[in-house]
Structures are given as C-alpha cells and as structure tokens.
Amino acid sequence: MSVSPSLPLLKRISPGLWVGLVWIAAALGPIVKYVLMPPRHEYSLSYPRQGLDPLSAKLLLAIAFALVLAGCVLLRRRTSLGYGLLLAGTVASTLAWRQDEIPPAQYLGVDVALCYVAATRPRRSSLNAAAAALATLPCYVLLRQGLGIQDSGVIPEPYIALTVVIGWLVGNSVRQSQLHTEELHTQAAAQAVTAERLRIAREMHDTVAHSIGIIALQAGAAARVIETQPDKAREAMVAVEKTGRETLSGLRRMLGALRQADREADREADREPDPAADEAADKAADEARKPAPLHPAAGLADVERLATTTTAAGVRVEVWWQGRRRPLPADIDLAAFRIIQESVTNVVRHSGADSCRVTIGYGEDELTIEVRDRGKGTCADAEHDTGYGLIGMRERITLLHGHFTAGPRRGGGFLVAARLPLPAATATATTTAATTAIETKAEAAAG
C-alpha cells in the first residue's frame, strides 16, 4: 500500500489560523503590556491604561475578537465574507481603544489575509479586496471625526497603504507562479500524450507496412504459380492468411491501448466452447470486413459485394435502397459503408440470426441507414467485441454531426440506425437536377 508524502508543517496550517495568530498577537500585545502588567514608566497615547475601563469598550473589544475569529474560520470556504468580517473586527478593535488611527501592527492581519486572497482568487477578486482594505483607512478617519476622537497629529495611513500594496503584490506573485507551474504541467502532459501517440503511430506504420509488403509478395507469387505449382500457391496463401491475422491482432492491441480500455474479452463464458463454430464465425466476420478490391476507397457502391460475400458465408443480407441514388461526399460515403460493414459483422458474430436487412435511404438533406435482424444479440454483446465496433460507429457519426442509435428491437433482434446530414451542395444539386428535368420535359411538350 503506497503512502502519500505528508505536507510540511507550515503548509498544513490553514490560512485562517495564520491570520488569526497575527491579528490576535497584535491585539493582545498592548492589553498585556499596558493593562495587565504592573505600571511602568512606559506610557502609550494609543493604548492608555484607562482606555478599556468603560464597559462599552470591553464589549466592543469582545465583539472585535468574535468578528475576527469568525472571519478566520470562513476565510477559506467563503473568502469574501471572512475578509469582510476581519476588516470589521479591526475597525471595532480600534474604536474600543478610541484610537485616532488604525495601528499598523493591527493591520498586519488584514495584509496576511489579502495576501492569501491574491494568491488563491482571480485578479478581479483580489483587486476588490485590496480596494476594500485601502478604502477602510479614510473611512475610519471620517468615522473618528464623527465620534469626536481627537487627532494626535500622526498620519500612518500612507505606511499602512504601502503594506496593503506589498501584501497584494506578494500574493499575486504566488498566484502567477502557480498558474505558470500548472501551465507547464499541462504542456508536459500534452507533449507526453503526443509523443506516445506518435510512437504508437510509428509502430503501427512499421507493422502494417511490413505486413502488407509480405502479403503483396506472397499474393503475387501465388498468382504467378497458381496454374503450374498449386502447392506453392497454397503455401503462399496460407502465409498471407497467417500474416493478415497477426497484423489484425496487433492492430487491435494498439487500438485498445489508445482507447485505454480494460474490457474482458470472454463474452461467451456461459456456453460450452465450440471451436468449429468460432472459427466459422471468425472467417465470416473477416470476409465481411474485407475492403472492396475494385475501388481505392470503399463506399456504398460496395454494399452489394459485401452482401454477396456475407450471404456466401452463411448470413443472408437483403439490401433495400430508398430515394434517388446519387454521388455523395467521400467522407460520408465511406462512413456509411463502414457503419453497414461493422453492423453486418456484428450480426454474424453476435446475433445468431441467419439473415438481416440493410436499408439505405437518400433524403433531401440526410442519408439514413438501418441494419436490423431478428437474432438474440444484445448491445452489451456487441460492445464486448474487441474491435470496439459500436464505439467506432458512434465516433464516425459524431465527427460528421449525425445521429446514431443502437439497441435491441421491441419485437426482438437488434437495430442499428444512423442519420448523416448531407451538405447543402448535395441538396442543391438534387434540386437543380430535378428542376432541369422538369424544364426539359416542358420544352419537349412545347416542341
């Protein structure tokens, strides 16, 4: 069991306790020195021995202590309220002694609290707190004149204001340092993530490039000797199959690391293992995942080939086209085919059904896709696939600003539905084509 290192003692003390210690030390100092201790030659005009004799002075001093203690307790959770109570307690303590000016030592507690506010709160809040501390000084002068307290001729306000500014500058420097440190940590984390992704991308590139090169060589050799040396051709195709399966396994492991998923692959632990059935399902799924050999990039034009291949593997696929078929943008065309391909693969792997229906609808402003079956597969079964099929489909649709749903059907089976919005150019082209056709018909009728 790991044990986290404890913070230093000075950092474990709460800021409210620091403020309370400074303020109470400054408040108790003159009480002990000029009131409780035996009379000496020293005498203070600001703290006369008879200053606390009236009951009102003692009561006001007790209220000042209560306000300051409450402010120290609330300083971390409700900073503004705690800071205001601290200022009010400082003014009340000064009035209890009937002093003509706020003592600089008494204001040190306010400076410490301001330093904490500037270090932990946004700049606007800390500037408001500093302005409140500075405004308290002239406000007390006006209050003193209203109460008739005599002026001793000493003007400590500039020095107190200087301590306020210094306290804010120290706290603001601490906050800037913390923000800079957090920014450096964020940049370091982002750089680490980027470096790791680049490393995985390089590893994936090397693996795939090497494997595809071997597959291309073996396939070419098999094509050349298939008529004259069937055994050699068979060996080459076995090597192609082995290399392809190893590459697919490596890609799945890399994608699993990228997604940071920790999922169990034992989705059929409740039934008796059937190696023959598993091998047949794997072959059918691999056939369904093969890209179209006639085009550089797969698209909806390859759906019929996918249906034929899957039907030959044992699962009949019916393809229904709705609306007027027309060219689509490459990204939408590819995403639509991949969704159908992965859905059909899930039917082969998880549903146990012997057929499924693929419906492709061309609308005015969107493309709809539905793949439904009447098998026993569930969404949970499909999500346990190590290929992350449903997650990948949802990510494709999200990137294209579409809508994706997948789940059990009410009447039984499973349904995958997706809606892909079409760009305005496609819809405009459709409208233009329809308008042109109408105009052509009208001209023919007039002729």
Side-chain angles (χ1 to χ4, degrees), residues 63-127:
I63 293 175
F65 273 89
L67 291 175
V68 170
L69 292 177
C72 293
V73 172
L74 298 175
L75 188 61
R76 172 172 289 180
R77 293 178 299 173
R78 303 181 64 180
T79 305
S80 300
L81 179 59
Y83 187 78
L85 293 177
L86 182 62
L87 286 175
T90 303
V91 173
S93 173
T94 306
L95 290 175
W97 286 96
R98 295 186 62 83
Q99 294 172 312
D100 55 346
E101 303 290 348
I102 298 178
Q106 197 74 45
Y107 224 64
L108 287 178
V110 177
D111 296 336
V112 174
L114 178 61
C115 182
Y116 168 75
V117 173
T120 58
R121 294 296 183 268
R123 177 170 294 183
R124 183 176 180 180
S125 300
S126 63
L127 287 176

Short mmCIF file of all heavy atoms in Angstrom, two decimals, residues 63-127:
data_model
loop_
_atom_site.label_atom_id
_atom_site.label_comp_id
_atom_site.label_asym_id
_atom_site.label_seq_id
_atom_site.Cartn_x
_atom_site.Cartn_y
_atom_site.Cartn_z
N ILE A 63 -16.54 42.03 20.86
CA ILE A 63 -17.18 41.88 19.55
C ILE A 63 -16.12 41.83 18.45
O ILE A 63 -16.23 41.05 17.48
CB ILE A 63 -18.17 43.04 19.31
CG1 ILE A 63 -19.35 42.93 20.29
CG2 ILE A 63 -18.66 43.04 17.88
CD1 ILE A 63 -20.32 44.09 20.21
N ALA A 64 -15.07 42.64 18.59
CA ALA A 64 -14.00 42.65 17.60
C ALA A 64 -13.33 41.28 17.52
O ALA A 64 -13.07 40.75 16.43
CB ALA A 64 -12.98 43.73 17.94
N PHE A 65 -13.03 40.69 18.70
CA PHE A 65 -12.43 39.36 18.69
C PHE A 65 -13.36 38.32 18.05
O PHE A 65 -12.91 37.44 17.30
CB PHE A 65 -12.08 38.95 20.12
CG PHE A 65 -10.72 39.40 20.57
CD1 PHE A 65 -10.55 40.64 21.17
CD2 PHE A 65 -9.60 38.61 20.37
CE1 PHE A 65 -9.30 41.07 21.59
CE2 PHE A 65 -8.35 39.03 20.78
CZ PHE A 65 -8.18 40.27 21.39
N ALA A 66 -14.66 38.41 18.36
CA ALA A 66 -15.61 37.46 17.78
C ALA A 66 -15.68 37.60 16.27
O ALA A 66 -15.70 36.60 15.53
CB ALA A 66 -16.99 37.66 18.40
N LEU A 67 -15.69 38.84 15.77
CA LEU A 67 -15.74 39.05 14.33
C LEU A 67 -14.49 38.50 13.64
O LEU A 67 -14.57 37.86 12.58
CB LEU A 67 -15.89 40.54 14.02
CG LEU A 67 -17.24 41.19 14.39
CD1 LEU A 67 -17.19 42.69 14.14
CD2 LEU A 67 -18.36 40.57 13.57
N VAL A 68 -13.35 38.74 14.25
CA VAL A 68 -12.10 38.28 13.64
C VAL A 68 -12.03 36.75 13.64
O VAL A 68 -11.63 36.13 12.64
CB VAL A 68 -10.90 38.90 14.35
CG1 VAL A 68 -9.59 38.25 13.91
CG2 VAL A 68 -10.85 40.39 14.10
N LEU A 69 -12.40 36.13 14.75
CA LEU A 69 -12.38 34.67 14.80
C LEU A 69 -13.33 34.06 13.78
O LEU A 69 -12.99 33.07 13.10
CB LEU A 69 -12.71 34.19 16.21
CG LEU A 69 -11.67 34.51 17.29
CD1 LEU A 69 -12.17 34.04 18.66
CD2 LEU A 69 -10.35 33.85 16.96
N ALA A 70 -14.52 34.63 13.63
CA ALA A 70 -15.46 34.13 12.62
C ALA A 70 -14.90 34.32 11.21
O ALA A 70 -15.03 33.44 10.34
CB ALA A 70 -16.81 34.83 12.76
N GLY A 71 -14.26 35.47 10.98
CA GLY A 71 -13.66 35.71 9.67
C GLY A 71 -12.54 34.74 9.36
O GLY A 71 -12.40 34.28 8.21
N CYS A 72 -11.74 34.39 10.36
CA CYS A 72 -10.66 33.42 10.13
C CYS A 72 -11.21 32.04 9.80
O CYS A 72 -10.64 31.31 8.97
CB CYS A 72 -9.76 33.36 11.37
SG CYS A 72 -8.83 34.88 11.68
N VAL A 73 -12.32 31.66 10.44
CA VAL A 73 -12.91 30.35 10.16
C VAL A 73 -13.49 30.30 8.75
O VAL A 73 -13.38 29.29 8.04
CB VAL A 73 -14.00 30.04 11.22
CG1 VAL A 73 -14.77 28.77 10.84
CG2 VAL A 73 -13.37 29.88 12.59
N LEU A 74 -14.09 31.41 8.30
CA LEU A 74 -14.74 31.45 6.99
C LEU A 74 -13.82 31.86 5.85
O LEU A 74 -14.26 31.91 4.70
CB LEU A 74 -15.94 32.42 7.04
CG LEU A 74 -17.07 32.07 8.00
CD1 LEU A 74 -18.11 33.18 8.02
CD2 LEU A 74 -17.71 30.75 7.61
N LEU A 75 -12.56 32.15 6.15
CA LEU A 75 -11.68 32.72 5.13
C LEU A 75 -11.47 31.76 3.96
O LEU A 75 -11.41 32.20 2.81
CB LEU A 75 -10.33 33.09 5.77
CG LEU A 75 -9.38 33.86 4.86
CD1 LEU A 75 -9.99 35.19 4.44
CD2 LEU A 75 -8.05 34.10 5.58
N ARG A 76 -11.38 30.46 4.19
CA ARG A 76 -11.12 29.53 3.10
C ARG A 76 -12.39 29.16 2.36
O ARG A 76 -12.40 29.10 1.13
CB ARG A 76 -10.45 28.26 3.65
CG ARG A 76 -10.32 27.15 2.62
CD ARG A 76 -9.50 26.00 3.14
NE ARG A 76 -8.08 26.34 3.25
CZ ARG A 76 -7.15 25.50 3.69
NH1 ARG A 76 -7.49 24.29 4.08
NH2 ARG A 76 -5.91 25.90 3.77
N ARG A 77 -13.49 28.91 3.08
CA ARG A 77 -14.71 28.46 2.42
C ARG A 77 -15.48 29.62 1.79
O ARG A 77 -15.96 29.51 0.66
CB ARG A 77 -15.60 27.73 3.42
CG ARG A 77 -15.03 26.40 3.91
CD ARG A 77 -15.95 25.77 4.93
NE ARG A 77 -16.10 26.64 6.11
CZ ARG A 77 -16.95 26.41 7.10
NH1 ARG A 77 -17.75 25.35 7.05
NH2 ARG A 77 -17.01 27.23 8.13
N ARG A 78 -15.61 30.73 2.51
CA ARG A 78 -16.31 31.92 2.00
C ARG A 78 -15.38 33.11 2.18
O ARG A 78 -15.47 33.85 3.17
CB ARG A 78 -17.63 32.10 2.74
CG ARG A 78 -18.56 30.88 2.65
CD ARG A 78 -19.87 31.10 3.37
NE ARG A 78 -20.64 32.17 2.76
CZ ARG A 78 -21.84 32.58 3.19
NH1 ARG A 78 -22.39 31.98 4.24
NH2 ARG A 78 -22.47 33.56 2.60
N THR A 79 -14.50 33.26 1.24
CA THR A 79 -13.40 34.21 1.37
C THR A 79 -13.88 35.64 1.52
O THR A 79 -13.39 36.39 2.37
CB THR A 79 -12.47 34.09 0.16
OG1 THR A 79 -12.05 32.73 0.03
CG2 THR A 79 -11.25 34.98 0.32
N SER A 80 -14.82 36.05 0.69
CA SER A 80 -15.27 37.45 0.74
C SER A 80 -15.89 37.79 2.08
O SER A 80 -15.58 38.85 2.68
CB SER A 80 -16.28 37.70 -0.39
OG SER A 80 -15.69 37.46 -1.65
N LEU A 81 -16.75 36.91 2.60
CA LEU A 81 -17.37 37.16 3.90
C LEU A 81 -16.34 37.16 5.02
O LEU A 81 -16.36 38.03 5.90
CB LEU A 81 -18.46 36.12 4.16
CG LEU A 81 -19.20 36.22 5.49
CD1 LEU A 81 -19.88 37.57 5.63
CD2 LEU A 81 -20.20 35.09 5.64
N GLY A 82 -15.44 36.18 5.00
CA GLY A 82 -14.41 36.14 6.03
C GLY A 82 -13.52 37.35 6.01
O GLY A 82 -13.16 37.91 7.08
N TYR A 83 -13.15 37.81 4.82
CA TYR A 83 -12.31 39.00 4.71
C TYR A 83 -13.04 40.24 5.21
O TYR A 83 -12.46 41.10 5.89
CB TYR A 83 -11.90 39.18 3.25
CG TYR A 83 -10.90 40.26 3.01
CD1 TYR A 83 -9.55 40.08 3.28
CD2 TYR A 83 -11.29 41.50 2.49
CE1 TYR A 83 -8.62 41.08 3.06
CE2 TYR A 83 -10.38 42.50 2.25
CZ TYR A 83 -9.04 42.28 2.54
OH TYR A 83 -8.13 43.28 2.31
N GLY A 84 -14.34 40.36 4.89
CA GLY A 84 -15.11 41.50 5.40
C GLY A 84 -15.23 41.50 6.91
O GLY A 84 -15.15 42.57 7.55
N LEU A 85 -15.45 40.32 7.52
CA LEU A 85 -15.52 40.24 8.99
C LEU A 85 -14.18 40.63 9.63
O LEU A 85 -14.15 41.26 10.69
CB LEU A 85 -15.92 38.83 9.41
CG LEU A 85 -17.35 38.40 9.06
CD1 LEU A 85 -17.57 36.95 9.47
CD2 LEU A 85 -18.37 39.30 9.74
N LEU A 86 -13.08 40.28 8.98
CA LEU A 86 -11.77 40.65 9.50
C LEU A 86 -11.58 42.16 9.50
O LEU A 86 -11.08 42.75 10.48
CB LEU A 86 -10.68 39.97 8.68
CG LEU A 86 -9.24 40.20 9.12
CD1 LEU A 86 -9.01 39.66 10.52
CD2 LEU A 86 -8.28 39.57 8.13
N LEU A 87 -11.99 42.83 8.42
CA LEU A 87 -11.91 44.30 8.39
C LEU A 87 -12.80 44.93 9.45
O LEU A 87 -12.40 45.89 10.14
CB LEU A 87 -12.31 44.80 7.00
CG LEU A 87 -11.30 44.58 5.87
CD1 LEU A 87 -11.89 45.01 4.54
CD2 LEU A 87 -10.01 45.34 6.15
N ALA A 88 -14.00 44.39 9.59
CA ALA A 88 -14.92 44.94 10.59
C ALA A 88 -14.37 44.75 12.00
O ALA A 88 -14.47 45.65 12.86
CB ALA A 88 -16.30 44.27 10.46
N GLY A 89 -13.77 43.58 12.29
CA GLY A 89 -13.19 43.37 13.61
C GLY A 89 -12.02 44.30 13.88
O GLY A 89 -11.83 44.77 15.02
N THR A 90 -11.23 44.61 12.84
CA THR A 90 -10.10 45.53 13.04
C THR A 90 -10.59 46.93 13.37
O THR A 90 -10.05 47.61 14.26
CB THR A 90 -9.24 45.55 11.76
OG1 THR A 90 -8.81 44.23 11.45
CG2 THR A 90 -8.03 46.45 11.94
N VAL A 91 -11.62 47.39 12.67
CA VAL A 91 -12.19 48.71 12.96
C VAL A 91 -12.81 48.74 14.37
O VAL A 91 -12.66 49.71 15.13
CB VAL A 91 -13.23 49.09 11.90
CG1 VAL A 91 -13.95 50.38 12.26
CG2 VAL A 91 -12.55 49.23 10.53
N ALA A 92 -13.51 47.65 14.73
CA ALA A 92 -14.12 47.61 16.07
C ALA A 92 -13.06 47.62 17.17
O ALA A 92 -13.23 48.28 18.22
CB ALA A 92 -14.98 46.35 16.19
N SER A 93 -11.94 46.92 16.98
CA SER A 93 -10.87 46.94 17.98
C SER A 93 -10.26 48.33 18.12
O SER A 93 -9.95 48.79 19.23
CB SER A 93 -9.79 45.93 17.58
OG SER A 93 -8.67 46.03 18.43
N THR A 94 -10.12 49.04 17.00
CA THR A 94 -9.58 50.41 17.06
C THR A 94 -10.55 51.34 17.78
O THR A 94 -10.12 52.22 18.57
CB THR A 94 -9.31 50.91 15.64
OG1 THR A 94 -8.48 49.97 14.95
CG2 THR A 94 -8.60 52.26 15.67
N LEU A 95 -11.84 51.18 17.54
CA LEU A 95 -12.84 52.01 18.23
C LEU A 95 -12.89 51.70 19.72
O LEU A 95 -13.18 52.58 20.55
CB LEU A 95 -14.21 51.79 17.60
CG LEU A 95 -14.40 52.36 16.20
CD1 LEU A 95 -15.78 51.96 15.66
CD2 LEU A 95 -14.26 53.88 16.20
N ALA A 96 -12.64 50.44 20.10
CA ALA A 96 -12.67 50.09 21.52
C ALA A 96 -11.61 50.86 22.29
O ALA A 96 -11.85 51.29 23.43
CB ALA A 96 -12.48 48.59 21.69
N TRP A 97 -10.45 51.06 21.71
CA TRP A 97 -9.39 51.82 22.36
C TRP A 97 -9.53 53.32 22.10
O TRP A 97 -8.73 54.11 22.63
CB TRP A 97 -8.03 51.36 21.83
CG TRP A 97 -7.57 50.04 22.35
CD1 TRP A 97 -7.70 48.83 21.76
CD2 TRP A 97 -6.89 49.81 23.58
NE1 TRP A 97 -7.14 47.85 22.52
CE2 TRP A 97 -6.63 48.43 23.68
CE3 TRP A 97 -6.46 50.62 24.65
CZ2 TRP A 97 -5.98 47.83 24.74
CZ3 TRP A 97 -5.81 50.04 25.72
CH2 TRP A 97 -5.58 48.65 25.77
N ARG A 98 -10.52 53.72 21.28
CA ARG A 98 -10.73 55.11 20.88
C ARG A 98 -9.44 55.71 20.32
O ARG A 98 -9.00 56.81 20.70
CB ARG A 98 -11.23 55.95 22.07
CG ARG A 98 -12.61 55.53 22.56
CD ARG A 98 -13.13 56.47 23.62
NE ARG A 98 -13.31 57.84 23.11
CZ ARG A 98 -14.38 58.26 22.45
NH1 ARG A 98 -15.38 57.40 22.19
NH2 ARG A 98 -14.47 59.51 22.03
N GLN A 99 -8.85 54.97 19.41
CA GLN A 99 -7.61 55.42 18.78
C GLN A 99 -7.92 56.33 17.61
O GLN A 99 -8.92 56.17 16.91
CB GLN A 99 -6.78 54.22 18.32
CG GLN A 99 -6.28 53.36 19.48
CD GLN A 99 -5.64 52.09 19.00
OE1 GLN A 99 -6.20 51.39 18.17
NE2 GLN A 99 -4.46 51.78 19.51
N ASP A 100 -7.02 57.29 17.36
CA ASP A 100 -7.24 58.21 16.26
C ASP A 100 -6.90 57.61 14.90
O ASP A 100 -7.40 58.05 13.88
CB ASP A 100 -6.42 59.49 16.47
CG ASP A 100 -4.94 59.18 16.66
OD1 ASP A 100 -4.62 57.99 16.88
OD2 ASP A 100 -4.11 60.10 16.58
N GLU A 101 -6.06 56.56 14.87
CA GLU A 101 -5.69 55.89 13.64
C GLU A 101 -5.65 54.38 13.88
O GLU A 101 -5.44 53.92 15.01
CB GLU A 101 -4.32 56.36 13.14
CG GLU A 101 -4.22 57.85 12.90
CD GLU A 101 -5.04 58.33 11.71
OE1 GLU A 101 -5.50 57.46 10.95
OE2 GLU A 101 -5.22 59.55 11.56
N ILE A 102 -5.85 53.61 12.80
CA ILE A 102 -5.72 52.16 12.91
C ILE A 102 -4.25 51.81 13.09
O ILE A 102 -3.42 52.21 12.26
CB ILE A 102 -6.29 51.45 11.67
CG1 ILE A 102 -7.78 51.76 11.52
CG2 ILE A 102 -6.08 49.94 11.75
CD1 ILE A 102 -8.42 51.14 10.30
N PRO A 103 -3.87 51.08 14.13
CA PRO A 103 -2.46 50.76 14.34
C PRO A 103 -1.90 49.90 13.20
O PRO A 103 -2.57 48.97 12.74
CB PRO A 103 -2.46 49.99 15.66
CG PRO A 103 -3.74 50.35 16.31
CD PRO A 103 -4.71 50.58 15.21
N PRO A 104 -0.71 50.20 12.70
CA PRO A 104 -0.13 49.39 11.62
C PRO A 104 0.03 47.92 12.00
O PRO A 104 -0.17 47.03 11.17
CB PRO A 104 1.23 50.06 11.37
CG PRO A 104 1.05 51.47 11.83
CD PRO A 104 0.12 51.38 13.01
N ALA A 105 0.39 47.65 13.28
CA ALA A 105 0.55 46.26 13.70
C ALA A 105 -0.79 45.50 13.64
O ALA A 105 -0.83 44.31 13.31
CB ALA A 105 1.12 46.20 15.11
N GLN A 106 -1.88 46.22 13.96
CA GLN A 106 -3.19 45.57 13.91
C GLN A 106 -3.61 45.25 12.48
O GLN A 106 -4.36 44.30 12.24
CB GLN A 106 -4.23 46.49 14.56
CG GLN A 106 -5.53 45.79 14.95
CD GLN A 106 -5.33 44.92 16.18
OE1 GLN A 106 -4.73 45.33 17.16
NE2 GLN A 106 -5.83 43.70 16.12
N TYR A 107 -3.12 46.04 11.54
CA TYR A 107 -3.50 45.84 10.14
C TYR A 107 -2.67 44.76 9.46
O TYR A 107 -2.94 44.43 8.30
CB TYR A 107 -3.34 47.16 9.38
CG TYR A 107 -4.51 47.46 8.46
CD1 TYR A 107 -5.77 47.68 8.97
CD2 TYR A 107 -4.35 47.51 7.08
CE1 TYR A 107 -6.85 47.95 8.15
CE2 TYR A 107 -5.42 47.78 6.24
CZ TYR A 107 -6.66 47.99 6.79
OH TYR A 107 -7.73 48.26 5.97
N LEU A 108 -1.68 44.21 10.13
CA LEU A 108 -0.89 43.14 9.54
C LEU A 108 -1.74 41.89 9.28
O LEU A 108 -1.51 41.15 8.32
CB LEU A 108 0.30 42.80 10.44
CG LEU A 108 1.44 43.81 10.46
CD1 LEU A 108 2.53 43.36 11.43
CD2 LEU A 108 2.02 44.01 9.06
N GLY A 109 -2.71 41.64 10.16
CA GLY A 109 -3.60 40.50 9.93
C GLY A 109 -4.39 40.66 8.64
O GLY A 109 -4.58 39.70 7.88
N VAL A 110 -4.84 41.91 8.37
CA VAL A 110 -5.54 42.17 7.11
C VAL A 110 -4.61 41.97 5.93
O VAL A 110 -5.00 41.43 4.88
CB VAL A 110 -6.12 43.60 7.14
CG1 VAL A 110 -6.80 43.92 5.80
CG2 VAL A 110 -7.11 43.75 8.28
N ASP A 111 -3.34 42.39 6.08
CA ASP A 111 -2.38 42.20 4.99
C ASP A 111 -2.15 40.72 4.70
O ASP A 111 -2.03 40.32 3.53
CB ASP A 111 -1.06 42.88 5.36
CG ASP A 111 -1.21 44.38 5.50
OD1 ASP A 111 -2.16 44.93 4.91
OD2 ASP A 111 -0.38 44.99 6.21
N VAL A 112 -2.05 39.90 5.74
CA VAL A 112 -1.86 38.46 5.53
C VAL A 112 -3.08 37.85 4.83
O VAL A 112 -2.94 37.03 3.91
CB VAL A 112 -1.59 37.77 6.87
CG1 VAL A 112 -1.52 36.26 6.69
CG2 VAL A 112 -0.28 38.27 7.48
N ALA A 113 -4.27 38.26 5.25
CA ALA A 113 -5.48 37.77 4.60
C ALA A 113 -5.54 38.21 3.14
O ALA A 113 -5.93 37.44 2.25
CB ALA A 113 -6.72 38.25 5.35
N LEU A 114 -5.14 39.45 2.86
CA LEU A 114 -5.12 39.94 1.48
C LEU A 114 -4.12 39.15 0.64
O LEU A 114 -4.38 38.85 -0.54
CB LEU A 114 -4.79 41.43 1.47
CG LEU A 114 -4.67 42.08 0.09
CD1 LEU A 114 -5.99 41.97 -0.67
CD2 LEU A 114 -4.25 43.54 0.23
N CYS A 115 -2.99 38.82 1.22
CA CYS A 115 -2.00 38.01 0.50
C CYS A 115 -2.60 36.65 0.12
O CYS A 115 -2.39 36.16 -0.99
CB CYS A 115 -0.76 37.85 1.37
SG CYS A 115 0.57 36.92 0.58
N TYR A 116 -3.35 36.05 1.03
CA TYR A 116 -4.00 34.77 0.73
C TYR A 116 -5.04 34.92 -0.37
O TYR A 116 -5.14 34.08 -1.28
CB TYR A 116 -4.65 34.22 2.00
CG TYR A 116 -5.58 33.07 1.75
CD1 TYR A 116 -5.09 31.80 1.46
CD2 TYR A 116 -6.96 33.24 1.79
CE1 TYR A 116 -5.94 30.74 1.22
CE2 TYR A 116 -7.82 32.19 1.56
CZ TYR A 116 -7.31 30.94 1.27
OH TYR A 116 -8.14 29.90 1.01
N VAL A 117 -5.83 36.00 -0.30
CA VAL A 117 -6.86 36.22 -1.32
C VAL A 117 -6.21 36.40 -2.69
O VAL A 117 -6.66 35.83 -3.71
CB VAL A 117 -7.72 37.43 -0.95
CG1 VAL A 117 -8.68 37.77 -2.09
CG2 VAL A 117 -8.51 37.15 0.32
N ALA A 118 -5.14 37.18 -2.76
CA ALA A 118 -4.47 37.41 -4.04
C ALA A 118 -3.80 36.15 -4.58
O ALA A 118 -3.65 36.00 -5.79
CB ALA A 118 -3.43 38.52 -3.89
N ALA A 119 -3.41 35.23 -3.70
CA ALA A 119 -2.74 34.01 -4.13
C ALA A 119 -3.71 32.93 -4.57
O ALA A 119 -3.31 32.02 -5.32
CB ALA A 119 -1.86 33.47 -3.01
N THR A 120 -4.97 32.99 -4.15
CA THR A 120 -5.90 31.90 -4.42
C THR A 120 -7.12 32.30 -5.23
O THR A 120 -7.85 31.43 -5.69
CB THR A 120 -6.39 31.28 -3.10
OG1 THR A 120 -7.01 32.31 -2.29
CG2 THR A 120 -5.22 30.67 -2.34
N ARG A 121 -7.36 33.59 -5.42
CA ARG A 121 -8.55 34.03 -6.11
C ARG A 121 -8.18 34.76 -7.39
O ARG A 121 -7.05 35.20 -7.56
CB ARG A 121 -9.40 34.96 -5.21
CG ARG A 121 -9.98 34.26 -4.00
CD ARG A 121 -10.96 33.19 -4.41
NE ARG A 121 -11.59 32.54 -3.26
CZ ARG A 121 -11.13 31.46 -2.66
NH1 ARG A 121 -10.02 30.89 -3.12
NH2 ARG A 121 -11.74 30.93 -1.65
N PRO A 122 -9.12 34.89 -8.33
CA PRO A 122 -8.83 35.64 -9.56
C PRO A 122 -8.42 37.07 -9.27
O PRO A 122 -8.68 37.61 -8.18
CB PRO A 122 -10.16 35.57 -10.33
CG PRO A 122 -10.86 34.37 -9.79
CD PRO A 122 -10.46 34.27 -8.36
N ARG A 123 -7.76 37.67 -10.26
CA ARG A 123 -7.21 39.01 -10.04
C ARG A 123 -8.30 40.02 -9.73
O ARG A 123 -8.09 40.93 -8.91
CB ARG A 123 -6.43 39.44 -11.28
CG ARG A 123 -5.87 40.84 -11.19
CD ARG A 123 -4.91 41.15 -12.31
NE ARG A 123 -3.72 40.33 -12.21
CZ ARG A 123 -2.68 40.44 -13.04
NH1 ARG A 123 -2.72 41.33 -14.03
NH2 ARG A 123 -1.63 39.67 -12.90
N ARG A 124 -9.45 39.89 -10.35
CA ARG A 124 -10.52 40.86 -10.08
C ARG A 124 -10.95 40.81 -8.62
O ARG A 124 -11.14 41.85 -7.99
CB ARG A 124 -11.70 40.56 -11.01
CG ARG A 124 -12.84 41.55 -10.87
CD ARG A 124 -13.93 41.26 -11.89
NE ARG A 124 -15.03 42.20 -11.76
CZ ARG A 124 -16.12 42.19 -12.54
NH1 ARG A 124 -16.22 41.28 -13.49
NH2 ARG A 124 -17.07 43.08 -12.36
N SER A 125 -11.10 39.61 -8.08
CA SER A 125 -11.50 39.49 -6.68
C SER A 125 -10.42 40.03 -5.74
O SER A 125 -10.72 40.71 -4.75
CB SER A 125 -11.79 38.03 -6.35
OG SER A 125 -12.83 37.52 -7.16
N SER A 126 -9.16 39.74 -6.05
CA SER A 126 -8.09 40.23 -5.18
C SER A 126 -7.96 41.75 -5.24
O SER A 126 -7.67 42.41 -4.23
CB SER A 126 -6.77 39.57 -5.58
OG SER A 126 -6.40 39.93 -6.90
N LEU A 127 -8.18 42.35 -6.43
CA LEU A 127 -8.14 43.81 -6.52
C LEU A 127 -9.29 44.44 -5.73
O LEU A 127 -9.10 45.50 -5.10
CB LEU A 127 -8.21 44.23 -7.99
CG LEU A 127 -6.94 43.99 -8.82
CD1 LEU A 127 -7.18 44.36 -10.28
CD2 LEU A 127 -5.76 44.78 -8.25
#
